[in-house]
Amino acid sequence: MTSQLLLNYDHWTSQLDQHSVMASAAEVQGLIAGMLSAGIPADAGTILPVLYDFLNDGQALNTHLKGLIEQLIAETAKQLAEEDYSLQLLLPSDDDAMAERLEAMIEWVQAFLVGFAIQQTDLSLVSPDVREAIDQLTEVTRIDIYTEDDASDAENEESYFLVLEHMRLLVLTCFNEVGQKFTISEVAAKTLH
């Protein structure tokens, strides 16, 4: 599957609905990115059972959807590790309503924080930059998407994209400071034995 289709929110929504998975596409990728950023290796055998617990009441997914999620794990891991900061968040398109995009963005961040907390339970062990990133991501989850404001649509669009860009950088901070170090040290430990 092309990475464009792999990161298409509507495609994922359709796939998840067809297979009666009660999670959104944003939650699926957010959870994966959180686990990877916390140092869990990009290994489907490790990540899938956690996804089953959180997304499907512990039940395995059918072969087709499992294959798609394995591809999403690999693609998300690849993008997190890229040096050009090309991480694409699995969110609704710019054509969708702002409320829908904000809701998905908040779901993505909430799932990311859950995924990160699975591995990194003691934030006193991570750098101040990572603690600050987690705090700022937590603030994103507090955005009230139902409050009417006086800002124009253009101002709202600009604010949305600024928050998204900031989110991406915070996620990459977590991955670069924790995720990469943890997986690299694991690989080094395995090669020493």
Side-chain angles (χ1 to χ4, degrees), residues 172-184:
L172 290 166
T173 295
C174 293
F175 178 76
N176 290 330
E177 296 258 337
V178 180
Q180 280 194 318
K181 288 179 184 171
F182 188 84
T183 45
I184 287 168

Side-chain angles (χ1 to χ4, degrees), residues 13-83:
T13 300
S14 169
Q15 292 296 317
L16 294 169
D17 286 349
Q18 282 177 26
H19 296 95
S20 303
V21 175
M22 299 304 294
S24 72
E27 290 171 307
V28 173
Q29 191 199 30
L31 195 57
I32 291 168
M35 289 189 283
L36 295 171
S37 296
I40 294 175
D43 169 48
T46 304
I47 293 177
L48 282 171
V50 177
L51 290 175
Y52 297 159
D53 283 345
F54 281 93
L55 307 175
N56 206 32
D57 291 329
Q59 301 300 308
L61 300 168
N62 82 0
T63 308
H64 174 73
L65 190 56
K66 180 181 167 210
L68 289 176
I69 290 177
E70 287 173 349
Q71 290 177 47
L72 184 61
I73 292 168
E75 181 65 23
T76 303
K78 183 181 118 203
Q79 288 187 12
L80 281 167
E82 301 253 332
E83 293 187 13

